[in-house]
Every structure is written in structure tokens, then in C-alpha cells.
């Protein structure tokens, strides 16, 4: 196993204990429906917290772990682009010119990485202001983040990176959920691509909270059943 593969495995194992890795919205209940019945999957937390969820971090805890979440995205780029001994700036430039042929996915991957990179760099170099009294983080550029929204940022960055790593397709629901997270964290899109694909902001004003999910893909319909 290469160093990049091992790094991805270690980071994924480390981060997967937290609830923000559970897709773009947190699924409190997952049902799989088959011809013989249905089953539900829930994660059991052994730490003494809510036994139906993985570990949930506070806003401050989300800020503390964010650089590791970004490192996961950075490792995904190393794997995706098969880069080695390349400067970070050259790698970033190459990634921003990389596309998957879907305007929304390209927008998410490029812009989420760029915005996350800015915050990560300012954190590493201690070049930001944390105002716990009003619950904000302020960057020298003037960009402001709400500490309470950083759990949404981690969810967005991790899951965009995860889908990028595995070249997973997005359903329309996942695109809308990801864009809703992006808007909540960063405030706006500033993209004609998004405006042209989603004519109304109501599509991306989803509430980023728990969802129930039922998978009927394993359920069949009897050939003698009448459909109307």
C-alpha cells in the first residue's frame, strides 16, 4: 500500500467516528426495504453519548478538527491526480483545471476546496481572529464564519472529498443538500452556473438537519401485480 493510500485510510478511519461523515445530511434512520421485509441501520456510540449517532462535536471542536478534515481532501487530491514531489500550488492549480463533466460537481469540488484551503492556511499560520463572545471567526480577507456552522463546513468538505475520491455520482437530492450546506457556511454562490441550473433559491434552501432514508432498490414488483 502506498503512503497516500495509507494516509487516506488512517484519516478516513479517524474521521468516520464523527457524525459529519454521514453524507450531506445526517440520516437518523436508514431503512432497507426488500420483498421479505425491512431493516434499519443505526450506529451505536460506545462513548456514553447518544447511542443512535456517531460522535457529535461542538462548534469549537469542529474548528479544532477542521485541519484534519482538510488534510483528508488534500490526500484525495494526491490520489486522484497521482501527484508526487509536486509543489502544493502546482497541485492546486492542476486540480482547479480538473473537471468531471458536471457543472454542479465541478463547482462544489473546486470552490469547497478553495474556500477550505483559505481557512486552513489562516488557522495553521494563526492568522485569524476567534471572537467567542459573538461566536464568529474572522479572516484577514474579511470573510466571517459562524463557529456554530463549522460542523456543516466539516460535513461539506469531507463528503465532497469522499465523493471525489471514489468518483461517486451525485443524485439531485445530494446536489441540493450539498449546495444548501455551501450556502449556509459561505453565504452565497456567486456563480452563473448555479443560477442557471436552479432558477429559484427555494431548491437550495434545504434545512440541513436529520433525514430519514428508505432504500427500495432491493424490492421488486411481482409481474402479475396490476399497476395503475
Amino acid at each position: 500500500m502506498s503512503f497516500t493510500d495509507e494516509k487516506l485510510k488512517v484519516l478516513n478511519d479517524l474521521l468516520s467516528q464523527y457524525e459529519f461523515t454521514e453524507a450531506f445530511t445526517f440520516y437518523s434512520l436508514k431503512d432497507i426495504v426488500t420483498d421479505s421485509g425491512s431493516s434499519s441501520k443505526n450506529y451505536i456510540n460506545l462513548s456514553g453519548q447518544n447511542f443512535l449517532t456517531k460522535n457529535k462535536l461542538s462548534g469549537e471542536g469542529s474548528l479544532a478538527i477542521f485541519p484534519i478534515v482538510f488534510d483528508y481532501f488534500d490526500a484525495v487530491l494526491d490520489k486522484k491526480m497521482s501527484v508526487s514531489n509536486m509543489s502544493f500550488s502546482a497541485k492546486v492549480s492542476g486540480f482547479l483545471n480538473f473537471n468531471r463533466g458536471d457543472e454542479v460537481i465541478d463547482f462544489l469540488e473546486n470552490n469547497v476546496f478553495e474556500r477550505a484551503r483559505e481557512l486552513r492556511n489562516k488557522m495553521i499560520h494563526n492568522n485569524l481572529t476567534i471572537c467567542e463572545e459573538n461566536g464568529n471567526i474572522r479572516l484577514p480577507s474579511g470573510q466571517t464564519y459562524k463557529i456554530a456552522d463549522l460542523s456543516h463546513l466539516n460535513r461539506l468538505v469531507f463528503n465532497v472529498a469522499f465523493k471525489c475520491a471514489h468518483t461517486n455520482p451525485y443524485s439531485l437530492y445530494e446536489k441540493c443538500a450539498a449546495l444548501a450546506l455551501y450556502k449556509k457556511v459561505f453565504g452565497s454562490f456567486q456563480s452563473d452556473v448555479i443560477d442557471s441550473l436552479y432558477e429559484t433559491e427555494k431548491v437550495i434552501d434545504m434545512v440541513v438537519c436529520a433525514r430519514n432514508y428508505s432504500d427500495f432498490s432491493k424490492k421488486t414488483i411481482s409481474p402479475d401485480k396490476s399497476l395503475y
Side-chain angles (χ1 to χ4, degrees):
M1 183 179 291
S2 69
F3 170 73
T4 300
D5 289 330
E6 186 67 26
K7 182 178 180 180
L8 281 170
K9 181 180 182 304
V10 169
L11 290 175
N12 187 77
D13 289 347
L14 173 64
L15 296 173
S16 62
Q17 65 181 294
Y18 298 104
E19 58 89 21
F20 63 79
T21 61
E22 278 289 279
F24 291 109
T25 58
F26 171 64
Y27 293 111
S28 60
L29 183 65
K30 296 183 179 181
D31 295 324
I32 298 177
V33 183
T34 67
D35 292 339
S36 59
S38 64
S39 62
S40 299
K41 179 180 180 181
N42 293 290
Y43 290 95
I44 297 178
N45 190 321
L46 301 179
S47 66
Q49 301 179 22
N50 188 337
F51 68 95
L52 291 180
T53 67
K54 297 185 180 184
N55 290 315
K56 186 173 183 178
L57 294 167
S58 65
E60 291 76 10
S62 296
L63 176 62
I65 205 171
F66 170 74
I68 301 176
V69 179
F70 178 84
D71 283 348
Y72 175 74
F73 203 160
D74 186 43
V76 166
L77 262 63
D78 291 342
K79 176 69 175 179
K80 192 79 175 178
M81 301 177 63
S82 301
V83 298
S84 59
N85 300 321
M86 179 184 290
S87 69
F88 183 73
S89 59
K91 178 174 62 176
V92 171
S93 177
F95 176 67
L96 295 180
N97 291 320
F98 180 84
N99 71 78
R100 289 173 57 175
D102 184 298
E103 291 177 305
V104 175
I105 297 176
D106 290 339
F107 171 85
L108 285 168
E109 290 183 350
N110 293 343
N111 287 276
V112 168
F113 183 81
E114 273 288 87
R115 302 293 285 270
R117 179 168 70 109
E118 178 190 24
L119 177 58
R120 179 263 185 190
N121 288 346
K122 299 307 180 184
M123 286 185 64
I124 294 299
H125 298 294
N126 198 29
N127 196 16
L128 51 76
T129 303
I130 301 176
C131 304
E132 296 190 27
E133 292 182 0
N134 58 21
N136 289 335
I137 298 172
R138 185 175 180 84
L139 276 59
S141 65
Q143 174 69 44
T144 301
Y145 295 96
K146 295 180 180 178
I147 295 177
D149 287 343
L150 292 180
S151 61
H152 300 311
L153 175 63
N154 286 338
R155 183 181 299 281
L156 179 65
V157 174
F158 178 87
N159 287 288
V160 167
F162 183 86
K163 279 189 168 292
C164 180
H166 297 84
T167 321
N168 286 354
Y170 285 61
S171 66
L172 179 59
Y173 174 85
E174 288 174 321
K175 288 180 180 179
C176 290
L179 290 171
L181 283 170
Y182 187 97
K183 183 178 180 182
K184 183 166 185 62
V185 174
F186 299 121
S188 62
F189 292 106
Q190 299 178 340
S191 170
D192 293 336
V193 170
I194 304 303
D195 292 340
S196 64
L197 290 173
Y198 299 98
E199 297 179 358
T200 172
E201 289 191 356
K202 292 181 180 178
V203 177
I204 49 179
D205 275 344
M206 298 174 60
V207 178
V208 284
C209 61
R211 293 287 190 273
N212 292 330
Y213 172 71
S214 295
D215 180 4
F216 288 86
S217 62
K218 296 182 180 180
K219 184 175 178 60
T220 60
I221 300 176
S222 173
D224 58 358
K225 180 178 179 60
S226 300
L227 299 178
Y228 299 92

